[in-house]
């Protein structure tokens, strides 16, 4: 049964990520500057190729969630206002510095279906 739970969790994480990707792709057009649209696209590509372990998938989803929040504001906020580093996501977790960038906020929004 434990393997089934892992598969279900992974499928849920991938579903949530794909949902945020659709939102992000739609919201990119709200960015005023072509450079911002390019940066957002680069972050989407980085996130799309990230995540092999369950922890990495969860972190990938957090980055995607905060990217969507940034795009909803119509401007890129750190860390999305610079090119994504080549480093793997776990070593980039410190970049999520927004006051709302907490696992508890992310989890609460996810549980409410706000992702």
């Amino acid at each position: 049964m434990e393997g089934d739970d892992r598969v279900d969790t992974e499928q849920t994480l991938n579903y949530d990520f794909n949902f945020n990707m659709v939102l992000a792709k739609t919201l990119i057009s709200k960015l005023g500057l072509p450079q911002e649209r390019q940066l957002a696209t680069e972050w989407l590509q980085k996130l799309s190729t990230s995540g092999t372990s369950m922890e990495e998938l969860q972190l990938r989803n957090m980055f995607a969630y905060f990217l969507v929040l940034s795009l909803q504001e119509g401007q890129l906020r750190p860390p999305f206002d610079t090119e994504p580093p080549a480093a793997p996501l776990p070593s980039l977790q410190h970049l999520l510095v927004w006051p709302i960038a907490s696992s508890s906020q992310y989890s609460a929004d996810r549980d409410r279906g706000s992702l």
Side-chain angles (χ1 to χ4, degrees):
M1 277 304 202
E2 190 173 306
D4 290 341
D5 290 343
R6 178 176 164 72
V7 170
D8 289 344
T9 301
E10 189 173 325
Q11 287 175 343
T12 299
L13 288 170
N14 286 328
Y15 176 84
D16 290 347
F17 177 72
N18 288 330
F19 181 80
N20 279 325
M21 291 294 284
V22 169
L23 287 175
K25 288 176 182 178
T26 301
L27 292 167
I28 283 177
S29 64
K30 287 187 170 188
L31 295 173
L33 300 174
Q35 304 91 302
E36 289 181 320
R37 290 191 294 273
Q38 179 62 34
L39 285 172
T41 300
E42 289 174 17
W43 272 99
L44 288 177
Q45 291 169 346
K46 166 108 179 142
L47 296 175
S48 294
T49 60
S50 299
T52 53
S53 71
M54 195 64 65
E55 180 181 293
E56 289 171 340
L57 292 174
Q58 291 170 334
L59 186 55
R60 172 202 68 183
N61 283 17
M62 285 184 69
F63 270 90
Y65 171 72
F66 289 111
L67 177 58
V68 167
L69 288 181
S70 182
L71 291 169
Q72 286 175 331
E73 293 176 354
Q75 65 179 8
L76 294 179
R77 297 181 70 184
F80 308 111
D81 59 345
T82 60
E83 290 183 13
L89 283 184
S91 64
L92 303 177
Q93 186 169 3
H94 68 281
L95 296 176
L96 292 177
V97 294
W98 294 2
I100 59 170
S102 71
S103 295
S104 59
Q105 177 67 43
Y106 172 78
S107 297
D109 285 349
R110 184 182 179 286
D111 292 344
R112 281 196 313 270
S114 300
L115 297 179

